[in-house]
Amino acid sequence: VGPARTRETAAALTGFFTGGKSAASVIGALEGVHESQHERFARCLMLHPDFEVRRYAVNNVDVNSIWKVVTPETVPCATILSLLEKMVGSSRYTTAQRKIFFDAVYRRLLSLSSRSDVLYARGIVRIFVKLNFFLEDDYFQKLSALLDYVAAKERAHQMHDGLLDEYMTRIKNEKQ
């Protein structure tokens, strides 16, 4: 019974990622998943390539599920950005939870490999520099290192436009 149910669950989940389905059809199919599996499926859909599906999934999981998704170093930067937007846009999350989130994704953000990763990392950094806890020494140093790293990756992908330099100047001025 166990392995058969696992195969059925895996097949159902695979169906969400194959076949060129629209975001609306994937979201509709998620609504049809048994409630005991809904959270697990939504957690998986936070990794979906479609923005609307990721956004829906992010908005329909609890805080504990977020940590299960962002911890792996292979989590897509697009997913990190969607989760961060939710955390910053909601009063449900405390500064402590936002710090934990930063700590959880920091290593991942220091392993950008594609142009797409760099573009999403720019969006992530754009949000991070607006959070006031980065004025604390430890977080300031980590954010500075992250900005330098992302700027180097921008140059490597020939997309450096000075935006990250502006962020760095701004947070240094605020720190003083």
Side-chain angles (χ1 to χ4, degrees), residues 130-146:
K130 294 177 183 175
L131 301 176
N132 62 359
F133 68 83
F134 284 107
L135 297 178
E136 297 174 20
D137 289 340
D138 290 340
Y139 286 99
F140 181 81
Q141 289 172 352
K142 281 183 163 181
L143 182 60
S144 297
L146 179 59

Side-chain angles (χ1 to χ4, degrees), residues 6-122:
T6 301
R7 281 193 300 276
E8 290 170 9
T9 301
L13 187 57
T14 301
F16 288 116
F17 289 89
T18 58
K21 296 179 181 167
S22 70
S25 67
V26 172
I27 292 168
L30 179 62
E31 295 296 326
V33 170
H34 188 271
E35 87 177 60
S36 67
Q37 297 289 327
H38 194 271
E39 184 81 16
R40 178 177 294 143
F41 276 49
R43 204 169 42 242
C44 292
L45 289 177
M46 284 193 269
L47 304 173
H48 197 277
D50 185 276
F51 171 77
E52 290 301 322
V53 173
R54 277 195 317 273
R55 169 94 34 179
Y56 178 84
V58 163
N59 287 316
N60 286 283
V61 295
D62 67 15
V63 173
N64 294 325
S65 288
I66 290 173
W67 307 127
K68 291 176 184 175
V69 172
V70 299
T71 305
E73 289 184 28
T74 56
V75 67
C77 288
T79 299
I80 293 171
L81 179 59
S82 294
L83 291 166
L84 180 59
E85 289 171 340
K86 178 184 179 182
M87 290 189 85
V88 171
S90 172
S91 60
R92 282 185 16 187
Y93 301 96
T94 66
T95 297
Q97 289 171 316
R98 291 176 179 146
K99 286 179 180 181
I100 293 168
F101 181 87
F102 174 79
D103 289 333
V105 301
Y106 180 71
R107 277 182 322 173
R108 168 61 181 104
L109 294 173
L110 291 176
S111 62
L112 305 174
S113 58
S114 68
R115 181 179 177 83
S116 175
D117 278 352
V118 175
L119 289 170
Y120 282 114
R122 286 171 53 112

